[in-house]
Amino acid sequence: MFHTLRFETIPNEPRLTHVTMEAIAQAQPNIALVKYWGKREVDRNIPAVPSLSITLDSLWTRTKVAFDPKLRADDVSVNGRRDASQSSRVTALLDTCRRRAGVGLHAHVDSKTNFPIGAGLASSASGFAALAAATVGALAIEIDAVELSALARRASGSAARSVFGGFVEMPDALNGNVTAQPLLSATDWPLRVIIALTSEQPKPTGSSDGMRHSAETSDYYAAWVDSAGRDFMTARDAIMERNFATLAEVSEHSCLKMHAVMMSSNPPLVYWNGATIDCIHTIRRLRNDGIPAFFTVDAGPQVKAVCLPECADMVHAALQKVNGVRQLYTSNLGPGVRIMESMQ
Ligand code: DP6
């Protein structure tokens, strides 16, 4: 049985309605400008800090969820290979949805990406956003986009933001029910992102483990949490005013503070390689020369340059010359998660 899932758009809030046992969803990675690093509550996966991101359009994850009475356990594959590494998080999300729908069946989960996974390119953000939407679609659970974002957040904090397109905020919530919400659409301020891939190796320490380690051992962790709200508000205002210079400063600052926390953990978490640092200097030099571009780096060695579209060729050319840059991806800002007719 196959039915498609429909998004009914009410202002700024796609609503998911449908009936099915199988669905496909696509989501794109998002890049945090004000970073999430640290959890207030591990069990419910509540971030310790607010964060703010941009959703990409040219990298994607497509995930098909198909419930099957013949299965005795969930069967998860990523890019054509059985994948046990994320299976407890996948099953936890499926369990939440199964309980809500009153369904006891296991599911085939088949996911594919058009970019390397687990290397600091936000594959868990797009992966868990797509998984949440496809599961909800397959089980015909009536849910709005904000609730879908909370569901994705429990699996992976950054996935909550990939539910929405364009500029997305995930503020603190006093009741602990943290969800992302759209701030500005992709077309309202069409920035361009150039991603310099400096290694295809999976990162040595995943984000969840890294965050726990930083909270337990970094002397800078408390200061990081204390200052995050201020950075969040500065970035939010800069986006609303389309103030590129301020957004550039606060984004680089948030990124470097997060890496200072990582590096001051004990033993230290050093996600960068030599090319990462060379890319950072290249982008800083461009900005000193008046080119509107800034960098950000997540829990991995890849560097993301954010710039105005008219400067994208120049930024691309400069990063291409950096030794150790293996590949460049260029992306506009894109939409949030959506249901697809096929995996193709
Ligand atoms: C460095 O969302 O992967 O990319 O909630 O434990 O799954 P979990 O963490 P995750 O962390 C992302 C960390 C980051 C910064 C960010 O995206 O805000």
Side-chain angles (χ1 to χ4, degrees), residues 318-336:
L319 289 173
Q320 202 153 35
K321 286 196 206 120
V322 175
N323 259 340
V325 169
R326 304 164 76 84
Q327 202 173 334
L328 291 169
Y329 298 92
T330 300
S331 182
N332 291 323
L333 305 195

Side-chain angles (χ1 to χ4, degrees), residues 200-262:
E200 275 121 17
Q201 298 303 313
K203 55 190 169 200
T205 309
S207 297
S208 304
D209 289 344
M211 288 182 199
R212 189 179 322 116
H213 181 58
S214 291
E216 284 168 3
T217 65
S218 170
D219 292 341
Y220 299 170
Y221 183 76
W224 157 254
V225 172
D226 279 354
S227 64
R230 209 168 47 234
D231 292 344
F232 175 78
M233 289 314 294
T234 304
R236 194 179 191 283
D237 290 349
I239 289 166
M240 297 317 277
E241 291 161 9
R242 320 292 198 269
N243 182 337
F244 191 90
T246 301
L247 185 61
E249 268 171 41
V250 70
S251 301
E252 290 188 353
H253 194 50
S254 173
C255 166
L256 291 177
K257 278 197 291 188
M258 178 183 76
H259 282 275
V261 171
M262 292 163 165

Side-chain angles (χ1 to χ4, degrees), residues 154-201:
R154 288 184 82 122
S156 182
S158 54
R161 301 184 309 236
S162 275
V163 167
F164 300 101
F167 296 79
V168 179
E169 60 177 340
M170 187 146 76
D172 274 331
L174 288 176
N175 61 6
N177 187 23
V178 173
T179 72
Q181 53 203 43
L183 185 59
L184 211 60
S185 80
T187 48
D188 282 336
W189 196 15
L191 302 182
R192 193 73 55 86
V193 182
I194 294 153
I195 299 171
L197 191 81
T198 64
S199 166
E200 275 121 17
Q201 298 303 313

Side-chain angles (χ1 to χ4, degrees), residues 46-291:
I46 309 283
V49 291
S51 59
L52 199 155
S53 61
I54 44 180
T55 303
L56 304 180
D57 80 339
S58 66
L59 309 186
W60 49 254
T61 300
R62 285 183 198 143
T63 299
K64 178 175 175 176
V65 174
F67 287 88
D68 180 348
K70 294 195 287 300
L71 281 181
R72 318 204 70 164
D74 296 320
D75 169 37
V76 182
S77 69
V78 179
N79 290 330
R81 285 197 184 165
R82 282 254 156 74
D83 184 356
S85 66
Q86 300 295 333
S87 61
S88 62
R89 288 210 272 181
V90 171
T91 294
L93 190 152
L94 291 170
D95 282 346
T96 303
C97 294
R98 279 189 277 250
R99 271 196 302 276
R100 179 149 170 183
V103 167
L105 305 179
H106 294 291
H108 296 281
V109 176
D110 178 18
S111 191
K112 74 175 187 185
T113 64
N114 68 344
F115 63 97
I117 58 170
L121 288 177
S123 54
S124 73
S126 52
F128 283 105
L131 176 71
T135 308
V136 157
L139 291 173
I141 296 171
E142 292 227 358
I143 188 173
D144 65 22
V146 171
E147 225 188 320
L148 182 66
S149 170
L151 177 67
R153 190 214 74 235
R154 288 184 82 122
S156 182
S158 54
R161 301 184 309 236
S162 275
V163 167
F164 300 101
F167 296 79
V168 179
E169 60 177 340
M170 187 146 76
D172 274 331
L174 288 176
N175 61 6
N177 187 23
V178 173
T179 72
Q181 53 203 43
L183 185 59
L184 211 60
S185 80
T187 48
D188 282 336
W189 196 15
L191 302 182
R192 193 73 55 86
V193 182
I194 294 153
I195 299 171
L197 191 81
T198 64
S199 166
E200 275 121 17
Q201 298 303 313
K203 55 190 169 200
T205 309
S207 297
S208 304
D209 289 344
M211 288 182 199
R212 189 179 322 116
H213 181 58
S214 291
E216 284 168 3
T217 65
S218 170
D219 292 341
Y220 299 170
Y221 183 76
W224 157 254
V225 172
D226 279 354
S227 64
R230 209 168 47 234
D231 292 344
F232 175 78
M233 289 314 294
T234 304
R236 194 179 191 283
D237 290 349
I239 289 166
M240 297 317 277
E241 291 161 9
R242 320 292 198 269
N243 182 337
F244 191 90
T246 301
L247 185 61
E249 268 171 41
V250 70
S251 301
E252 290 188 353
H253 194 50
S254 173
C255 166
L256 291 177
K257 278 197 291 188
M258 178 183 76
H259 282 275
V261 171
M262 292 163 165
M263 289 181 197
S264 58
S265 304
N266 190 8
L269 296 168
V270 182
Y271 286 105
W272 298 355
N273 58 34
T276 311
I277 297 177
D278 288 342
C279 288
I280 287 175
H281 283 303
T282 301
I283 295 161
R284 282 167 67 88
R285 250 190 321 270
L286 288 174
R287 195 154 81 261
N288 281 342
D289 291 345
I291 312 296

Side-chain angles (χ1 to χ4, degrees), residues 15-64:
R15 207 159 234 294
L16 309 176
T17 43
H18 201 39
V19 193
T20 180
M21 293 302 280
E22 179 176 307
I24 297 169
Q26 172 172 322
Q28 282 78 238
N30 68 78
I31 307 294
L33 304 183
V34 175
K35 303 293 190 189
Y36 150 49
W37 193 255
K39 298 175 199 274
R40 182 143 41 93
E41 257 187 63
V42 173
D43 288 352
R44 290 193 296 158
N45 205 31
I46 309 283
V49 291
S51 59
L52 199 155
S53 61
I54 44 180
T55 303
L56 304 180
D57 80 339
S58 66
L59 309 186
W60 49 254
T61 300
R62 285 183 198 143
T63 299
K64 178 175 175 176

